[in-house]
Amino acid sequence: METSRMPVDDSRLSGFYKLSVEDRRKKVASLSGLSPEEIDALASNGELSEIAADRMIENVIGTMSLPVGVATNFVIDGKSYLIPFCVEESSIVAAASNMAKRCLARGGFRTNNDDPVMIAQIQVLDLPNVDEAAESVLTAKYELMAMCNSLPSTMIKLGGGCKDIITRNIDSMSGRMLIVHLLVDTRDAMGANAVNTMAELVSGKIEEITGGRVHLKILSNLATHRLAKVEATFTPEELSDDGTRDNGSKIISGILEAHHFAMADPYRAATHNKGIMNAISAIALACGQDWRAIEAGCHAWAAVETGNYTSMTRWSRDDEGNLVGRIETPMAVGIVGGASKVHPAARANLSILGVESAQDLAGIMAAAGIAQNLGAMRALATSGIQAGHMKLHAKNMAVSAGAIGDEIEKVANIVNSQSGPVTQQLVKDTLESIRNG
């Protein structure tokens, strides 16, 4: 990752949650150097216009807002980041920020991402000999690559383009088929349009070479050549409840037991990985990425890597007793083109991050995924997931019960001060008690 405009300490923002929404926005704008237009895009009067929305999708009838919050305390590759999350669920931003703060002793998160290479798949059918057809494609590889790279493209001028071609023979219910993979370096774009165009461009030539029939020609969202790889180390003292090594070591043991459950059981892995995607998808949405493609790729990789659906993350204890977390997952993101340039709030959120490449963004998203995963496992291994979540969710429950104005804060404070579970009935009863004096 290249640069950030903030010194390492500037993501800490002590007391940030106590500020008003407007004051938080001003603070982030000052740290990130946002333009007046970007500041306006984050304010309520900067919502996506109906004209812009009507250009983005079909049959538009309106727009819908979701909250954008900023996760703090993140240090990634020695640089400090404020990370925008667009998400509706309480406790996600707080948990990510908390865990990011707990890995600073060993320098925060470290990335080692692949080049931004996407796959275009070309399906070739009706072949008398699939193996011979595959050999003929590989023999003509450089001719096919030259065709792909003949497109007038800024991506190719910047050093991207088709870098290799490989073949796969697969058996299916339609019989044996040849699958040709174009490996395309898309630079700072997600790359769907570029790889699809290349696949269509060379499909006729592949039919000529193989004597077969090309059917589908489309990118794959399982971007196995475009992995985000992130690691972080958490000391027992950082993870403890009381600052002691013994307590932290016990918590680490509980976290590892929770992780081993997710590694072994797909029912647990689905919820475990949903927690990881709480961060990855929220950042993707905030920054105008194709979060459905990212979700599909991450979940597919969690099954492909081992042959069984399992945890996206890997957790272990090192020789010094520290907890080490790793993630290696497809991350097809871009900072040029698409909604990242059309939606004004997405542009503003990318400016808050200050990223200079798609690989920067991929590393940030994967780092946040580790933090989110640890936050959930630590809660499950200690007080349970509901305690912290319901405390932050109490205001939403108060609104659902009909509280307005100052009543919302009063109800939340009262129910959070009581022992026992916070239920919707308790919230309703508390509101009624306040109103009856």
Side-chain angles (χ1 to χ4, degrees):
M1 302 175 71
E2 297 297 326
T3 64
S4 172
R5 286 169 292 183
M6 293 186 295
V8 168
D9 290 339
D10 277 2
S11 70
R12 299 298 295 273
L13 299 187
S14 178
F16 187 65
Y17 71 97
K18 297 178 181 178
L19 301 176
S20 67
V21 173
E22 183 179 0
D23 285 343
R24 289 185 205 130
R25 187 162 51 242
K26 288 179 179 178
K27 180 70 171 177
V28 170
S30 175
L31 288 170
S32 304
L34 299 185
S35 68
E37 293 77 17
E38 289 168 333
I39 296 170
D40 189 56
L42 294 171
S44 58
N45 62 344
E47 187 60 41
L48 183 69
S49 70
E50 288 191 357
I51 294 173
D54 198 39
R55 288 196 296 264
M56 292 175 72
I57 65 168
E58 305 77 36
N59 300 339
V60 167
I61 60 170
T63 60
M64 180 177 174
S65 296
L66 287 172
V68 175
V70 175
T72 60
N73 304 318
F74 275 87
V75 173
I76 305 172
D77 293 332
K79 302 178 181 70
S80 187
Y81 291 90
L82 299 174
I83 305 180
F85 282 49
C86 182
V87 68
E88 87 295 344
E89 184 178 336
S90 57
S91 78
I92 288 176
V93 176
S97 302
N98 187 353
M99 293 305 107
K101 187 176 181 180
R102 292 177 186 266
C103 76
L104 296 176
R106 294 303 175 94
F109 302 87
R110 303 172 293 280
T111 74
N112 180 26
N113 299 330
D114 289 345
D115 289 335
V117 174
M118 296 294 291
I119 299 168
Q121 292 189 295
I122 301 171
Q123 178 191 28
V124 191
L125 305 172
D126 302 339
L127 293 165
N129 190 310
V130 174
D131 292 327
E132 288 182 3
E135 187 62 34
S136 67
V137 169
L138 294 178
T139 299
K141 176 169 71 172
Y142 294 103
E143 180 185 0
L144 293 169
M145 289 171 58
M147 288 182 66
C148 290
N149 293 329
S150 68
L151 290 170
S153 167
T154 301
M155 176 189 76
I156 294 172
K157 291 178 181 177
L158 293 174
C162 186
K163 299 299 183 182
D164 200 2
I165 295 176
I166 62 174
T167 61
R168 297 170 57 233
N169 302 341
I170 64 174
D171 293 312
S172 76
M173 289 186 288
S174 294
R176 202 154 188 244
M177 58 184 68
L178 171 66
I179 310 299
V180 179
H181 281 197
L182 310 180
L183 305 186
V184 183
D185 185 330
T186 60
R187 295 289 82 196
D188 288 326
M190 186 274 183
N193 291 333
V195 299
N196 289 339
T197 300
M198 288 183 182
E200 292 175 1
L201 181 65
V202 300
S203 61
K205 186 65 176 179
I206 288 176
E207 285 185 331
E208 178 186 323
I209 291 168
T210 63
R213 172 174 61 91
V214 168
H215 188 36
L216 299 190
K217 355 180 225 302
I218 186 72
L219 91 159
S220 171
N221 290 128
L222 181 54
T224 54
H225 297 272
R226 192 175 188 173
L227 300 180
K229 304 171 185 178
V230 181
E231 179 178 298
T233 302
F234 303 78
T235 66
E237 291 82 359
E238 287 177 306
L239 289 173
S240 69
D241 289 317
D242 57 11
T244 66
R245 188 170 185 83
D246 285 347
N247 178 255
S249 294
K250 290 177 183 177
I251 290 174
I252 288 174
S253 294
I255 289 168
L256 291 174
E257 289 168 345
H259 173 244
H260 296 158
F261 182 11
M263 288 290 294
D265 180 35
Y267 291 90
R268 172 60 200 145
T271 309
H272 177 92
N273 290 340
K274 184 269 182 183
I276 296 168
M277 301 311 294
N278 276 343
I280 291 175
S281 295
I283 301 167
L285 186 55
C287 296
Q289 305 300 304
D290 186 346
W291 53 269
R292 288 89 55 211
I294 294 167
E295 287 261 6
C298 288
H299 287 292
W301 180 245
V304 168
E305 190 179 13
T306 64
N308 298 292
Y309 185 74
T310 188
S311 169
M312 294 177 187
T313 50
R314 297 292 183 270
W315 295 90
S316 61
R317 199 192 310 250
D318 68 16
D319 293 339
E320 298 176 24
N322 302 313
L323 181 68
V324 180
R326 298 179 179 87
I327 190 169
E328 187 171 297
T329 193
M331 199 62 65
V333 297
I335 61 171
V336 297
S340 65
K341 293 302 181 184
V342 174
H343 199 296
R347 294 199 302 269
N349 288 327
L350 282 171
S351 291
I352 290 171
L353 282 173
V355 292
E356 296 192 352
S357 72
Q359 287 166 286
D360 286 2
L361 180 58
I364 289 168
M365 291 168 64
I370 289 181
Q372 203 74 57
N373 184 213
L374 181 58
M377 287 197 298
R378 186 182 182 280
L380 286 166
T382 53
S383 60
I385 201 72
Q386 285 298 90
H389 177 75
M390 295 309 293
K391 184 175 181 181
L392 292 170
H393 190 54
K395 291 182 181 179
N396 290 340
M397 296 176 72
V399 173
S400 296
I404 57 175
D406 293 342
E407 292 175 338
I408 300 170
E409 194 77 33
K410 290 178 181 178
V411 170
N413 288 338
I414 291 171
V415 298
N416 281 332
S417 67
Q418 298 181 21
S419 59
V422 177
T423 65
Q424 192 65 46
Q425 187 60 52
L426 174 62
V427 172
K428 288 180 179 179
D429 292 343
T430 303
L431 176 60
E432 184 177 346
S433 176
I434 290 173
R435 288 178 172 176
N436 291 336

